[in-house]
Amino acid sequence: FDKKMGMLPALKDGKIFVDCTTSKPTLAKKIAKKVESKKGFVLDAPVSGGDVGARNGTLSFMIGGDDQIVKHLTPCFEAMGSKFECMGPAGQGQHTKMVNQIFIASGMMGLVEGLYYAKKA
């Protein structure tokens, strides 16, 4: 997202930028604002599924941005994943990914507590 070396200077009118990184929702909104100022489109689309999901084409995409752009890119998302959903405007993909991570962490904590309890019982 660097002004001189990143993608922004090369972005042309009507082009679409899909950011699949996991980052802060505020950054996703900042990127969207910059891209939209260049008359482009942006989706924040963090993924879940890891390297196995990437290899098998079963990633899940949690997408923030314009629903019409998501529909336009359906063949791309279908080629890389088994699930994708537009969660709302820019930043909402990142918020959804954070919820996903909280659920995973909670499950892991419960598993560890259960194993610890079982060992002590």
Side-chain angles (χ1 to χ4, degrees):
F1 189 59
D2 182 288
K3 290 179 187 175
K4 294 178 183 174
M5 308 239 352
M7 60 86 194
L8 196 57
L11 194 66
K12 305 284 188 242
D13 287 2
K15 296 295 180 186
I16 302 168
F17 175 69
V18 180
D19 180 6
C20 292
T21 62
T22 298
S23 63
K24 294 180 180 180
T26 53
L27 179 60
K29 290 177 184 179
K30 183 179 177 182
I31 292 170
K33 196 172 198 178
K34 291 280 189 184
V35 171
E36 288 164 2
S37 75
K38 301 272 284 182
K39 295 185 176 40
F41 302 95
V42 66
L43 300 174
D44 58 289
V47 300
S48 182
D51 61 330
V52 173
R55 281 195 299 273
N56 295 333
T58 58
L59 293 171
S60 294
F61 292 86
M62 296 149 271
I63 306 168
D66 187 318
D67 190 49
Q68 293 304 311
I69 300 300
V70 175
K71 287 177 184 170
H72 178 71
L73 294 180
T74 292
C76 297
F77 289 119
E78 287 176 340
M80 297 182 286
S82 57
K83 298 175 190 152
F84 63 97
E85 188 73 37
C86 185
M87 307 308 295
Q92 294 304 310
Q94 298 299 339
H95 279 298
T96 305
K97 176 65 185 256
M98 286 185 185
V99 170
N100 180 65
Q101 295 303 96
I102 291 167
F103 285 156
I104 290 169
S106 297
M108 290 171 56
M109 287 172 35
L111 176 65
V112 170
E113 287 292 326
L115 290 172
Y116 180 76
Y117 175 82
K119 183 177 179 183
K120 294 290 184 176

